[in-house]
């Protein structure tokens, strides 16, 4: 079965302190990698899709990158409002189902 | 444009009772998915509808779970009878195209507690 592993499980940053989250995956053939943000009590909110190694996507302070084995979510000069759980997911063989990682819980302190 | 909606937001029931969760997908999305997150675990796939047809129900835990999507619009997920291990957050998602070709948009979830 496809596996998605995220690290670290939790990350505490000071406001303005840049860092990266990791998502590694084992799939027979990558059909896209999706990043979501989840706030407490809410559903996952779509951030990015990456389809091929070397691809990069940016949104405000977030930048997602993809290699053949893993993806990184870089957070530049984070603010407290960036605090959330960040999830990555990959589609299965038949595109029907997403396999999710356990998420990285990010806490940005002012 | 309205997003995916789910009802109820919370449900607390006794073991052995029945609960029905409802999901309204984004208008025009033929694909509808159910997922579940139990405490401390990752979000896991339950099943996938294309319009009113079940395409993949490989993630359904057992026959106490019944999902329907009559008319290809909203979907219901019934748990009967509920067991303690059914507690968790149930998410619904929808997409226009399947999986790798399109993004799945998630609802806010229904938190189910079985006592």
């Amino acid at each position: 079965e496809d596996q998605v592993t995220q690290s670290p499980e939790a990350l505490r940053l000071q406001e303005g302190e840049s860092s990266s989250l990791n998502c590694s995956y084992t799939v027979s053939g990558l059909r896209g990698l999706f990043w979501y943000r989840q706030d407490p009590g809410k559903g996952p909110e779509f951030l990015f899709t990456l389809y091929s190694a070397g691809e990069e996507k940016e949104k405000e302070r977030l930048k997602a990158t993809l290699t053949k084995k893993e993806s990184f979510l870089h957070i530049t000069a984070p603010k407290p409002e960036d605090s959330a759980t960040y999830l990555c997911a990959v589609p299965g063989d038949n595109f029907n189902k997403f396999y999710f990682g356990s998420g990285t819980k990010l806490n940005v302190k002012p | 444009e309205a997003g995916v909606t789910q009802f109820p937001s919370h449900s607390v029931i006794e073991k052995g009772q029945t609960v029905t969760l409802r999901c309204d997908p984004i208008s025009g999305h033929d694909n509808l998915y159910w997922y579940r997150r139990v405490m401390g675990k990752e979000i896991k796939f339950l099943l996938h509808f294309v319009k009113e047809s079940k395409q993949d129900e490989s993630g359904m835990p057992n026959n106490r779970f019944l999902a329907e999507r009559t008319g290809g619009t909203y979907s219901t997920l019934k748990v009967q009878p509920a067991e303690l291990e059914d507690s968790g957050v149930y998410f619904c998602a929808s997409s226009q195209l399947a999986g790798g070709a399109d993004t799945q948009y998630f609802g806010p979830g229904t938190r189910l507690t079985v006592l």
Side-chain angles (χ1 to χ4, degrees):
Chain A
E1 185 173 276
D2 295 335
Q3 296 285 334
V4 181
T5 304
Q6 291 188 246
S7 62
E9 287 185 15
L11 181 62
R12 200 179 245 193
L13 299 173
Q14 286 296 129
E15 183 171 3
E17 180 187 1
S18 301
S19 189
S20 297
L21 315 182
N22 177 264
C23 172
S24 62
Y25 55 89
T26 56
V27 295
S28 53
L30 187 64
R31 294 158 289 280
L33 186 140
F34 294 74
W35 280 99
Y36 288 84
R37 169 191 169 128
Q38 186 174 22
D39 292 294
K42 297 190 176 181
E45 176 189 348
F46 171 69
L47 292 173
F48 304 109
T49 310
L50 302 165
Y51 285 107
S52 56
E55 189 175 358
E56 297 183 353
K57 293 269 180 78
E58 281 189 71
K59 180 179 180 179
E60 294 181 356
R61 294 175 293 281
L62 301 177
K63 183 168 84 171
T65 62
L66 182 65
T67 71
K68 288 185 179 179
K69 294 288 185 185
E70 58 192 348
S71 177
F72 291 93
L73 185 65
H74 306 279
I75 303 175
T76 302
K79 297 182 177 181
E81 54 261 43
D82 295 322
S83 297
T85 296
Y86 291 85
L87 302 166
C88 70
V90 296
D93 282 341
N94 56 8
F95 298 108
N96 285 348
K97 62 181 81 169
F98 276 11
Y99 292 95
F100 278 87
S102 297
T104 293
K105 186 172 183 179
L106 174 66
N107 185 10
V108 181
K109 298 222 160 216
Chain B
E1 179 184 281
V4 177
T5 58
Q6 293 186 244
F7 182 83
S9 57
H10 293 84
S11 181
V12 181
I13 60 172
E14 299 280 339
K15 176 183 170 180
Q17 289 186 319
T18 297
V19 63
T20 300
L21 314 181
R22 174 173 169 142
C23 168
D24 287 80
I26 293 172
S27 178
H29 283 194
D30 286 340
N31 294 277
L32 187 149
Y33 311 82
W34 283 98
Y35 291 83
R36 177 174 74 171
R37 184 170 199 166
V38 297
M39 182 80 76
K41 301 281 191 178
E42 69 273 20
I43 296 172
K44 284 198 170 178
F45 170 84
L46 296 177
L47 89 160
H48 169 221
F49 284 99
V50 177
K51 296 186 180 179
E52 67 276 6
S53 300
K54 290 177 188 174
Q55 287 295 109
D56 181 353
E57 49 185 331
S58 60
M60 294 287 262
N62 50 60
N63 59 10
R64 295 184 294 101
F65 288 75
L66 175 64
E68 294 180 321
R69 192 183 182 194
T70 307
T73 53
Y74 71 91
S75 175
T76 58
L77 180 64
K78 182 192 286 189
V79 185
Q80 178 183 31
E83 298 288 345
L84 299 179
E85 64 264 26
D86 301 332
S87 295
V89 183
Y90 290 76
F91 293 104
C92 175
S94 71
S95 71
Q96 285 187 306
L97 303 174
D102 201 15
T103 300
Q104 294 184 20
Y105 295 92
F106 284 77
T110 294
R111 180 174 295 277
L112 174 64
T113 302
V114 183
L115 301 175

